[in-house]
């Protein structure tokens, strides 16, 4: 990264992510937005997955004492952050594998 002012990170979100976010209450959305801000501050915060999901990072946090997973992809050379999905652990990875082709197409443009 440059020594000048902080470089701007472009943030994109999939329709799957938007729909999941729209189902949350305003107070829950505020919590999720705080977690997204943490990811923007440190894009390598989430755990990088392996194998079929090697493009995916997952950031885990608590929402009303329940663990929530936020899946995203970070393209460092372009300073782009792609918010792919958010949800409970149940079926999160299975669904991510089903969507992997469309997620990769979204990321690569």
């Amino acid at each position: 990264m440059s020594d000048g002012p902080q470089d701007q990170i472009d943030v994109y979100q999939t329709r799957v992510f938007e729909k999941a976010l729209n189902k949350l209450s305003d107070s829950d959305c505020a919590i999720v937005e705080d977690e997204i801000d943490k990811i923007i501050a440190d894009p390598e915060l989430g755990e990088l997955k392996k194998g079929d999901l090697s493009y995916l990072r997952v950031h885990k946090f608590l929402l009303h004492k329940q663990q929530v997973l936020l899946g995203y992809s970070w393209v460092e050379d372009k300073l782009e952050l792609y918010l792919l999905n958010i949800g409970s652990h149940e079926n999160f990875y299975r669904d991510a594998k089903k969507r992997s082709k469309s997620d990769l197409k979204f990321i690569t443009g």
Side-chain angles (χ1 to χ4, degrees):
M1 301 191 83
S2 69
D3 293 331
Q6 183 176 0
D7 293 328
Q8 182 66 35
I9 294 176
D10 293 321
V11 180
Y12 304 95
Q13 56 189 21
T14 62
R15 297 265 303 133
V16 171
F17 186 86
E18 284 179 41
K19 286 181 180 180
L21 207 57
N22 287 337
K23 292 179 183 176
L24 299 175
S25 69
D26 289 345
S27 60
D28 289 352
C29 277
I31 293 169
V32 171
E33 287 172 8
D34 288 344
E35 295 298 325
I36 293 170
D37 288 342
K38 289 179 188 177
I39 292 169
I40 291 169
D42 180 11
E44 296 182 5
L45 180 67
E47 179 185 346
L48 184 61
K49 296 297 154 185
K50 295 179 178 149
D52 294 347
L53 300 175
S54 60
Y55 65 92
L56 183 68
R57 287 187 172 273
V58 176
H59 172 59
K60 299 176 182 179
F61 60 98
L62 292 178
L63 188 64
H64 304 294
K65 299 181 183 178
Q66 182 178 356
Q67 188 178 56
V68 174
L69 283 65
L70 192 155
Y72 68 97
S73 187
W74 166 239
V75 182
E76 187 171 4
D77 56 337
K78 294 183 180 178
L79 293 178
E80 294 176 343
L81 182 68
Y82 296 90
L83 304 172
L84 303 173
N85 194 15
I86 186 167
S88 65
H89 192 280
E90 183 181 7
N91 303 327
F92 184 88
Y93 293 107
R94 182 198 68 192
D95 294 347
K97 281 189 177 189
K98 285 182 181 178
R99 283 192 318 276
S100 64
K101 283 185 182 178
S102 62
D103 284 350
L104 285 169
K105 189 174 181 179
F106 181 74
I107 293 166
T108 57

